[in-house]
Amino acid sequence: MKTTAFILLATLALATLLPPAADACTGITLKAKDGTNIVARTIEWGGSDLNSQYVVVPRGYAQQSLTPDGGKGMAFTAQYGYVGLAVEQKEFVAEGLNEKGLSAGLFYFPHYGKYEDFNPSDRASSIADLQLVSWILGSCQNVEEVKQAIANVHVVGVDPRASTVHWRFTDPSGRQLVLEIIDGKTIFYENTLGVLTNSPDFQWQLTNLNNYVNLYPGTAPAQQLGSLSLASFGAGSGFLGIPGDVTPPSRFVRAAFYQATTPQAPTATETVAQCFHILNNFDIPIGIETKAGETPADIPSATQWTSATDMANRVIYYRTMHDSNIRCIDLKTIDFSRVKYLARPLDASKETPFTVIKIK
């Protein structure tokens, strides 16, 4: 366990050396006409390849939480099977779906969150922040159970130098909660908007949307300015002034307006496709966060993967910076009472595949 903890500490210590903007995530929520709710998100890391994996966790699989002192924290066993998308280590599930249809994911939350201090006497009920998604997916059926579960544990950061995170939980009913831990206190928000990025706190992000009350879909009408006639250069000028940078507040605004104005698709699969199209706008290219004179990381994109989750039909979809083809795992085809624990890279190859069209 101490070896695993050392790997984690090294990983998180590296994270503190990179620009805060390298830790970026954007989440949206769409609802199909057939009533299916889809949650989707990106995960960014501009410093190195996260070596992401998908994990299949059976019922009865036992895990142990890490603690800041490198020892053992809370032991937990999966009551429900789940599939997760993990970063750096297979234990660190950043996004996942369980067999009951509960979706859970973590988003970076630097400078604004603060966990309670680790107390060794609470070791048996202490869960590491990067392992909370795994524990919740194996323990809860819906967001109400999530709230009850969190009340009985101590969420701690393994390395106090590293960024804190906040979490999004959604169940098939469409109810979505955001969990933030600020000054050691847990705060749940009902996320009826369905958008989440990073810092500042969720309530601030909602308030900030009022700064963009002037935005609307469509094209601005022509008008007369004295003797000068003014007209739009092209379509979409109703959104003129929407922020285009990659900071969390700007991404939150863009995500909220793009999500609100997208046409409602008839089916779940069409809605999944629409989520990926919207999130195309949030890909962060390598280089934008690197100071002049510094060498960017040797990876294709800071947006390392994008996922979409269909909670009603129990399917999780993803694509990566190496391969834009959308792949999916259907949880209904997995017997979680018999399947063995499995961890596999998201990409079989880290070279972008190209399809050659042969003309005869």
Side-chain angles (χ1 to χ4, degrees), residues 29-40:
T29 308
L30 295 182
K31 186 174 185 177
K33 288 181 180 178
D34 65 11
T36 307
N37 294 287
I38 308 294
V39 292

Side-chain angles (χ1 to χ4, degrees), residues 129-285:
D129 54 353
L130 298 186
Q131 292 176 277
L132 187 139
V133 169
S134 293
W135 169 59
I136 287 294
L137 289 174
S139 304
C140 301
Q141 299 185 71
N142 53 54
V143 296
E144 197 57 46
E145 289 189 5
V146 172
K147 293 180 72 173
Q148 296 168 10
I150 294 294
N152 296 316
V153 299
H154 302 276
V155 180
V156 297
V158 177
D159 187 340
R161 298 169 295 173
S163 169
T164 55
V165 300
H166 56 181
W167 296 266
R168 176 182 70 178
F169 306 104
T170 318
D171 61 32
S173 73
R175 187 180 176 198
Q176 185 174 129
L177 298 179
V178 171
L179 167 62
E180 295 180 343
I181 302 177
I182 300 174
D183 294 329
K185 298 180 180 179
T186 59
I187 305 169
F188 280 99
Y189 299 98
E190 294 279 347
N191 189 1
T192 56
L193 179 64
V195 172
L196 187 63
T197 58
N198 313 105
S199 300
D201 61 271
F202 179 67
Q203 193 60 53
W204 184 96
Q205 301 277 21
L206 293 179
T207 302
N208 184 53
L209 289 176
N210 289 281
N211 283 319
Y212 302 91
V213 67
N214 58 298
L215 300 182
Y216 58 91
T219 303
Q223 60 174 302
Q224 199 72 20
L225 184 65
S227 60
L228 185 64
S229 295
L230 304 179
S232 171
F233 289 121
S237 55
F239 271 6
L240 188 63
I242 197 167
D245 60 84
V246 300
T247 62
S250 294
R251 287 185 284 106
F252 193 100
V253 172
R254 282 206 312 285
F257 279 93
Y258 291 168
Q259 173 185 291
T261 56
T262 192
Q264 191 175 34
T267 67
T269 52
E270 290 171 291
T271 303
V272 166
Q274 190 74 340
C275 285
F276 280 104
H277 284 301
I278 290 174
L279 290 176
N280 282 339
N281 295 276
F282 297 89
D283 277 1
I284 299 178

